Amino acid sequence: MAGGSDAAETLSCARCSNPASLQCPKCVQLKLPREGAAFCTQDCFKASWSSHKSVHLKAKLSSLGTDSAGGQNSDLASEGWLYCLRKGQSRTPKLPPFNWTGSLRPYPISVKRNVPAHIDKPDWANDGVPKVEPNSDWQHRVEIKTPDQIERMRETCRIAREVLDAAARMIRPGVTTDEIDRVVHEATVAAGAYPSPLNYHFFPKSCCTSVNEVICHGIPDARKLEDGDIINVDVTVYYKGVHGDLNETYFVGNVDEASRKLVQCTYECLDKAISIVKPGVRFRDVGEVINRHGSMSGLSVVKSYCGHGIGELFHCAPNIPHYGRNKAVGVMKAGQTFTIEPMINAGVWRDQMWPDGWTAVTADGKRSAQFEHTLLVTETGVEVLTARLPSSPDVLPWLNK
């Protein structure tokens, strides 16, 4: 502990509010405000350390990119915060060179989060390599789920919804996407489930957070959300041997009208696509419905990524393109489960990949939005397995109209 100056004697202890004359040495080093860094005794300082030390990390994160000497980035690197490369298989302490399409940049990511040993894990959890999925017959045929599989998927999808809702409650300016990932990870594990994206083909985090021009697969990192951003949070959980997958796009603070229209139109594209799901409908018709509504609003539909079958496998048949004039084969049948997840861009539909090998961004740097549900085809129509709950946060304003 460093001794304070005469002025510090008028400060209050951060723990007990008694007059304080001692300063946290790390706060002094980081040049943080004296208020909140003063303590009356060594005992108060030690008792507060477990919570107080978070102030230091937040200060380092807030100064990322502004330290010309790279000192703060060096500190973060020493604590395991590094930039992601090669689809999660390597790290670097320096921002990789790239012809960025928009104003967003990647930030360092934290170390991989642990999953307790008692949690049932998919086969990629330890080494990053799916074993069953790539060679499964269900990559070529669409599985009809058994009643037992359907019931397990209902349970899993409800957990996924509750986890996404927990993430949604975190959305506000100043929160890092890494903090959102932490909430997703902890909520998933608390439910006895595994966060499916974690180490899937080496993906380094427990969810995807796609901000502004990011189309999909954004990696949670140290960047703080800013007023006016939009952010998509994509959650998948693995529970009782099956996966449940959904995502939503949220407003951060005060968002411009064009972004509001983009996000609402994307929600409507998914809603209209779900409305046609029933036995006998062609998978290719989903793209026609989405493309029609998006185009009428002057927006474009991403062609590089599609909806997919889901169940005991994370990704399998059918592939469900979201754009018009696609060549998807097959028709819907009762008992099938799959996702529909349109990605709609304010500008061109084309995408580029960041150096991390995961983050897909719009080619022109304009914004993109996405919504996703896991669906079950029933004898008479569709059941939205990841539907919003009465307890879901009120974060989509158009639903109140």
Side-chain angles (χ1 to χ4, degrees):
M1 292 287 289
S5 67
D6 291 342
E9 294 178 358
T10 62
L11 297 174
S12 298
C13 177
R15 179 170 181 260
C16 69
S17 299
N18 287 333
S21 61
L22 301 177
Q23 291 276 179
C24 168
K26 190 68 174 178
C27 288
V28 173
Q29 178 189 341
L30 294 173
K31 299 179 180 179
L32 298 181
R34 298 169 69 85
E35 298 81 3
F39 296 89
C40 61
T41 65
Q42 290 278 2
D43 289 338
C44 268
F45 176 63
K46 291 176 181 178
S48 300
W49 178 247
S50 61
S51 59
H52 176 72
K53 64 183 179 181
S54 65
V55 173
H56 308 147
L57 179 57
K58 289 180 179 179
K60 293 175 185 178
L61 298 184
S62 68
S63 63
L64 269 174
T66 63
D67 180 52
S68 58
Q72 301 288 7
N73 283 336
S74 177
D75 284 349
L76 281 174
S78 70
E79 296 173 8
W81 292 76
L82 297 166
Y83 294 97
C84 179
L85 293 174
R86 295 182 60 237
K87 299 203 75 172
Q89 295 181 73
S90 67
R91 303 284 190 273
T92 177
K94 295 183 178 180
L95 178 68
F98 186 69
N99 186 21
W100 312 102
T101 65
S103 60
L104 196 71
R105 299 290 184 273
Y107 278 58
I109 68 172
S110 60
V111 296
K112 180 184 173 185
R113 302 188 196 281
N114 293 321
V115 177
H118 71 273
I119 300 290
D120 187 29
K121 301 174 179 65
D123 64 8
W124 57 81
N126 292 326
D127 62 6
V129 180
K131 286 81 173 175
V132 174
E133 184 174 286
N135 302 311
S136 170
D137 287 344
W138 302 126
Q139 298 298 343
H140 312 288
R141 295 187 294 125
V142 183
E143 182 180 19
I144 304 297
K145 303 297 191 297
T146 66
D148 173 68
Q149 288 175 312
I150 290 171
E151 189 54 40
R152 285 187 284 135
M153 288 200 68
R154 286 194 179 105
E155 287 185 71
T156 302
C157 286
R158 183 182 177 95
I159 292 172
R161 161 52 67 183
E162 291 171 344
V163 170
L164 181 64
D165 287 349
R169 296 184 182 98
M170 288 282 294
I171 306 297
R172 66 181 69 89
V175 173
T176 68
T177 50
D178 183 79
E179 291 175 287
I180 295 169
D181 181 76
R182 175 183 59 77
V183 167
V184 167
H185 185 89
E186 291 177 356
T188 302
V189 169
Y194 181 92
S196 305
L198 185 61
N199 215 28
Y200 179 72
H201 293 288
F202 307 102
F203 188 81
K205 291 296 170 183
S206 297
C207 68
C208 300
T209 52
S210 301
V211 178
N212 297 342
E213 67 262 30
V214 178
I215 295 171
C216 61
H217 303 156
I219 300 173
D221 61 22
R223 181 187 181 271
K224 289 184 177 182
L225 295 177
E226 299 177 358
D227 187 66
D229 285 345
I230 60 173
I231 177 173
N232 178 274
V233 181
D234 193 335
V235 166
T236 311
V237 305
Y238 179 73
Y239 182 70
K240 292 189 176 180
V242 296
H243 301 271
D245 189 2
L246 79 162
N247 71 57
E248 291 180 341
T249 301
Y250 306 111
F251 302 136
V252 183
N254 299 306
V255 176
D256 64 81
E257 187 61 25
S259 295
R260 288 181 173 274
K261 290 181 178 178
L262 168 67
V263 173
Q264 182 173 344
C265 179
T266 306
Y267 178 91
E268 292 168 351
C269 284
L270 175 58
D271 196 47
K272 290 178 180 294
I274 292 173
S275 72
I276 71 164
V277 174
K278 62 181 180 180
V281 173
R282 299 182 301 177
F283 291 121
R284 68 180 60 179
D285 292 341
V286 170
E288 299 297 337
V289 170
I290 293 170
N291 192 74
R292 185 181 308 117
H293 188 65
S295 298
M296 287 176 60
S297 300
L299 305 171
S300 64
V301 181
V302 173
K303 298 182 180 181
S304 302
Y305 302 92
C306 60
H308 55 88
I310 188 170
E312 293 177 356
L313 302 180
F314 192 173
H315 297 92
C316 56
N319 287 332
I320 303 180
H322 304 116
Y323 56 91
R325 298 183 180 180
N326 68 78
K327 298 181 180 180
V329 298
V331 298
M332 301 176 191
K333 298 178 182 179
Q336 294 172 342
T337 54
F338 51 81
T339 71
I340 300 177
E341 45 187 297
M343 289 145 272
I344 309 297
N345 293 351
V348 300
W349 66 264
R350 290 179 176 82
D351 62 280
Q352 290 189 20
M353 184 69 69
W354 272 5
D356 60 37
W358 280 106
T359 305
V361 297
T362 58
D364 56 9
K366 295 184 178 180
R367 291 188 168 188
S368 182
Q370 183 185 19
F371 284 86
E372 174 186 22
H373 277 305
T374 294
L375 310 171
L376 166 67
V377 182
T378 67
E379 295 291 346
T380 57
V382 61
E383 179 181 342
V384 182
L385 297 177
T386 48
R388 293 177 64 80
L389 303 169
S391 60
S392 294
D394 182 15
V395 290
L396 306 180
W398 58 87
L399 296 182
N400 298 325
K401 295 180 180 179

